Amino acid sequence: MTMISIQGKGVSTGVAMGPLYYYQRAKSTIRRYEVEDVHAEWGRFKAAQSKAIDQLGELAEKAREEAGDEAAMLFETHQMMAEDMDYEEAIENLIKEEKLNAEAAVTDTAAQFADMFAQMDDAYMQARAADVKDVSSRIIAALTGVVQGGIDSPVPVILAADDLAPSETVQLDKTKILGFITEGGSGSSHTAILARTMGIPAIIGVGNQLKPEYEGRDVIVDGSTGSVVLDADEATRNVMMAKREEQLRQRRLLEELKGQENITRDGQKIKVFCNIGNPEDVPTVLSNDGGGIGLFRSEFLYLNCSDYPSEDYQFEAYKQVLSDMGDKEVVIRTLDIGADKQIDYFQLPKEENPAMGNRALRICLNRPEIFKTQLRALYRASAYGHLGIMFPMVTSVWEVKEARKMCEQVKKELDAEGKPYSPDVQIGIMIETPAAAVMSDRLAKLVDFFSCGTNDLTQYTLACDRQNNDLGRFFNPHHPAVLRLLKMVCDNAHKNGVWVGICGELGADLELTETFLSIGIDELSVSPRAVLPLRQKIRETTVSAVKEKVLADLLADENAL
Ligand code: PEP
Ligand code: MG
């Protein structure tokens, strides 16, 4: 059979393959008729409503066991919807005033509410249209005694449907499902949320590209790209299978290593934290067992807004990350724009060399009103967790002093306003310029921690533009100049009782894990998916056995490239 490629929107990552199967939904035709005893009919509705609410309670428990509290909440929301006063009143009117039978009254009300939700501007509210239909079909099923259909297949399948209601998703036998494809749906629909929490790849919005006559054909879905391939040719299949292998390897790692310490064979511990760009990244940090957040690139909040984000807007975002992370450490980096991250509303003058221009802390110190808004939001949020504030692109001692002064001013203001903040906020800086590395003995006296931004440190040390892919062998983050600077920073930090991490991409480079452990790095902050491979590497290392050689290699003639 010829290969067919279909593009949808991936809403739950992972690659899966199997036969395509269309969801069988038991469709009952709703009869409409006029009732004589409207009170008895209202009683029928109330009985069905309470049966539906009981079922939803059971489903909430099932979802809680399978996918946690967030999934359970969906059904608790449905319970509330089922007894929503406006919804119930609309049904009551149709039964008592129009003498309509309960099934038809629920059907009409569901359609009316679903239309209302669908017409709202907010995508989240639009997605609620599916929920009200789902709750209503449950009540109708209770009225008519019809049971929802399932998967009638002896082998696991890739399940296709026009759309799947959350209750349909949770009732399905998970051992039979390898992935979901729906014609409609939205990324914020509860089905997408459930699929993500259950770790099942899901693709939505394929429209009518997927046809019922494809049933039974072999299909591969890639939930990260949204691609659906039927009867893949050999090359496509190999690429997707390699991706799947990698994913399975991650899963196995997860099972083996989750909850384990980041400790070497000879007992040296190191923290493995995560880099994030949005509050929505936190669940992935937690599911990959990240020990904290070592770098929250706050400029993404600014990049997602069309004007300067307000103090309250930022406060809510920081507060969400801090509260979601519980008692784990969270390092939020202050605004790092400029260079490759340009934002129109900042109206920065065009520069010949933006990477060496007006960027990051330089902008903040030159435009204190912007900096202060962010610092106020950060300090206010600090009351909700374990916060570290970190300044990017430092080159001089005076910059850190000035930034710290701003922090003191902000704390005074908050004191005067009676707004709470944590007294234990740690202050740190990024070491990402050679100047900061060289001056780290002095800088260490001003801060609680250092975090080495090896992406920029490599670029500035080697005078190699990190954006320029053509520099090839000239751009070498393993260059001894970079590694020696890291060792120097580490030594200076420790002499002054300051902890030191790496939050650039190099932190996840397993070829250098032994080096980082040997020079005594305290924390590595990496993308969430890199946590467990790194943990595995750390647990396989015996630092005492490699340290001497690693340190000698930093100075060895043959390595002086
Ligand atoms: C770095 O420079 O290494 C770093 C972590 O910051 P960014 O990549 O955001 O510049
Ligand atoms: Mg940087």
Side-chain angles (χ1 to χ4, degrees), residues 295 297 333 336 341 430 432 453-456 466 503-504:
L295 169 64
R297 290 180 161 97
R333 172 173 79 181
D336 183 10
K341 292 171 238 159
M430 293 200 59
E432 52 184 349
T454 48
N455 307 335
D456 278 318
R466 65 191 262 194
C503 63

Side-chain angles (χ1 to χ4, degrees), residues 375 399-410:
L375 289 176
E399 295 164 351
V400 183
K401 286 190 177 157
E402 206 168 301
R404 289 210 71 139
K405 219 184 261 166
M406 289 281 276
C407 294
E408 290 312 310
Q409 266 179 30
V410 161

